[in-house]
């Protein structure tokens, strides 16, 4: 492991030197690419530096314990070792975790889709609750988000909402949210006080980079225009600026109504279409990887019921890892970091069991 860490530190150093070179500075695309690699290696280099420092202190104190003639010094060294040795174990575990293979998609921005499922009006209201939960979580993370498609429900909430979320490691955290989310609660319209179960489907897609080659032939596209719905003032009722694109070979349909001009909406819709076609190939790879593991923590299986939000009991249960948290209000306010952290730990454990190799 030490040899691997030294290689990574050398690579990090080389990347830092490249970032200072004129040919890189003058190429914004290359600068962004190298800076991204540099930033991804930074936590490993920092942890390795701490590891070496603690290891050096341990060796010094062990030498004092075995060779120093002063009993007080030896006693002080023993006390220091009792603190340092657990620290070294923790750093060793942290480094092994950092060296696990990272999905190259993790650092990407994401397209987040929320759709009301079974449950009628209550499902649409729940979809709206999930929308609020994710946007609150994005605010906590310092991410930016914008609505690409919004289809309101007459009873409140959304039949469908599609967001573009941008920031650091967006897909790497949100990917665990793909699947069917269930809610159990008494609807406001329920006079008998009976608990109803409704559902919404969440899909998280890694946004395709500009340099990803996805060939889309114009002849394969059916493009329709329509009037945008939802908030937007008088403009939405006067012009058919919203765009719907159907990719005929795959049947994939995308919409965009976020911009005021038809051309801008078409540009955004084409990017979403590219992302969806790219994601289809990505899912095939994830399914192959999942075959070698015991569970499907983050394969994005959208038919799987991954989570239940039980309002009468004030709890959220993630069925993939049997995690139950009795703090539902905070979760619905966007406090889902603990759940995501636990899912990441479970996925890393799967990787270790599968014996996946680390890479530079």
């Amino acid at each position: 492991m030490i040899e691997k860490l030294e290689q990574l530190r050398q690579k990090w150093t080389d990347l830092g030197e490249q970032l200072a070179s004129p040919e890189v500075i003058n190429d914004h695309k290359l600068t962004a690419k190298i800076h991204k690699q540099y930033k991804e290696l930074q936590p490993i280099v920092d942890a390795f530096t701490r590891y070496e420092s603690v290891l050096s202190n341990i060796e010094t104190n062990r030498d004092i314990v075995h060779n120093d003639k002063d009993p007080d010094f030896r006693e002080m060294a023993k006390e220091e070792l009792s603190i340092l040795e657990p620290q070294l174990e923790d750093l060793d575990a942290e480094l092994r975790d950092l060296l696990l293979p990272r999905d190259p998609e993790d650092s990407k921005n994401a397209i987040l889709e929320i759709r009301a499922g079974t449950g009628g009006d209550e499902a649409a209201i729940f979809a709206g609750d999930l929308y609020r939960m994710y946007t609150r979580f994005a605010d906590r993370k310092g991410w930016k988000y914008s609505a690409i498609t919004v289809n309101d429900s007459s009873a409140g909430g959304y039949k469908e909402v599609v967001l573009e979320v941008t920031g650091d490691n967006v897909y790497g955290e949100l990917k665990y949210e793909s699947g069917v989310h269930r809610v159990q609660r008494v609807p406001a319209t329920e006079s008998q006080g009976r608990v109803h179960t409704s559902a919404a489907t969440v899909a998280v897609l890694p946004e395709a980079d500009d340099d990803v080659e996805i060939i889309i032939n114009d002849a394969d596209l059916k493009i329709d225009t329509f009037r945008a719905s939802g908030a937007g003032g008088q403009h939405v009722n006067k012009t058919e600026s919203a765009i719907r694109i159907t990719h005929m070979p795959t049947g994939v349909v995308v919409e965009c109504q976020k911009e005021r001009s038809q051309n801008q909406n078409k540009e955004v819709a084409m990017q979403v279409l590219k992302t969806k076609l790219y994601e289809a190939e990505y899912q095939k790879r994830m399914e192959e990887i999942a075959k070698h593991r015991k569970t499907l923590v983050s394969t994005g299986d959208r038919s799987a019921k991954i989570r239940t939000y039980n309002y009468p009991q004030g709890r959220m249960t993630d069925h993939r890892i049997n995690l139950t948290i009795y703090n539902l209000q905070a979760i619905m306010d966007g406090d889902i970091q603990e759940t995501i952290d636990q899912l990441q730990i479970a996925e890393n454990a799967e990787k270790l069991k599968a014996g996946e190799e680390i890479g530079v």
Side-chain angles (χ1 to χ4, degrees), residues 79-323:
E79 290 179 8
E80 191 73 13
L81 283 171
S82 69
I83 297 171
L84 290 170
E85 286 171 346
Q87 287 181 3
L88 190 69
E89 289 180 10
D90 290 343
L91 283 166
D92 182 80
E94 181 182 346
L95 283 166
R96 291 183 187 279
D97 178 60
L98 287 169
L99 286 173
L100 283 169
R102 290 296 187 263
D103 187 335
E105 312 299 322
D106 283 357
S107 60
K108 292 185 176 180
N109 299 325
I111 301 296
L112 173 66
E113 302 178 343
I114 307 168
R115 291 185 174 83
T118 56
D121 290 341
E122 177 63 15
I125 293 170
F126 177 50
D129 293 336
L130 291 177
Y131 167 79
R132 180 178 179 273
M133 181 181 80
Y134 289 127
T135 53
R136 288 288 182 91
F137 179 63
D139 290 337
R140 290 169 183 251
K141 302 291 289 186
W143 296 340
K144 295 181 180 179
Y145 52 88
S146 60
I148 295 173
T149 301
V150 177
N151 289 322
D152 298 325
S153 168
S154 58
Y158 303 100
K159 295 177 183 176
E160 174 191 40
V161 58
V162 180
L163 299 174
E164 179 185 38
V165 188
T166 60
D168 291 336
N169 204 43
V170 173
Y171 181 73
E173 300 223 20
L174 287 182
K175 66 182 180 182
Y176 300 99
E177 299 303 301
S178 286
V180 177
H181 296 239
R182 296 190 308 170
V183 62
Q184 295 172 331
R185 63 185 173 189
V186 179
T189 55
E190 172 56 61
S191 58
Q192 303 298 317
R194 290 173 297 187
V195 175
H196 288 227
T197 299
S198 306
T201 300
V202 174
V204 183
L205 292 63
E207 192 169 50
D209 293 334
D210 291 337
D211 56 355
V212 172
E213 188 175 358
I214 301 291
I215 299 173
I216 301 174
N217 295 320
D218 291 342
D220 292 334
L221 302 179
K222 179 174 180 276
I223 300 177
D224 299 303
T225 59
F226 60 99
R227 291 185 182 183
S229 61
Q234 294 181 352
H235 163 77
V236 299
N237 298 317
K238 289 185 176 181
T239 62
E240 292 195 346
S241 61
I243 291 286
R244 180 185 297 111
I245 300 176
T246 304
H247 186 246
M248 306 302 285
T250 61
V252 172
V253 179
V254 297
E255 293 181 0
C256 182
Q257 52 183 277
K258 65 178 284 193
E259 308 293 349
R260 294 181 66 86
S261 85
Q262 199 175 99
N263 286 337
Q264 287 175 317
N265 279 327
K266 182 180 178 182
E267 186 177 332
V268 174
M270 286 297 293
Q271 179 63 28
V272 176
L273 176 60
K274 181 181 177 182
T275 289
K276 288 203 170 191
L277 296 177
Y278 173 74
E279 192 252 355
E281 293 302 313
Y282 169 70
Q283 283 300 321
K284 290 178 184 177
R285 298 203 311 272
M286 290 300 294
E287 286 164 10
E288 284 299 313
I289 292 171
K291 288 178 183 177
H292 303 291
R293 300 190 194 148
K294 290 183 75 174
T295 62
L296 304 176
V297 171
S298 64
T299 59
D301 182 357
R302 296 173 202 168
S303 64
K305 293 177 183 177
I306 64 166
R307 201 174 289 161
T308 296
Y309 305 78
N310 187 300
Y311 276 73
Q313 297 178 15
R315 65 170 170 84
M316 181 283 296
T317 297
D318 194 291
H319 305 293
R320 293 165 292 182
I321 54 174
N322 295 319
L323 173 70

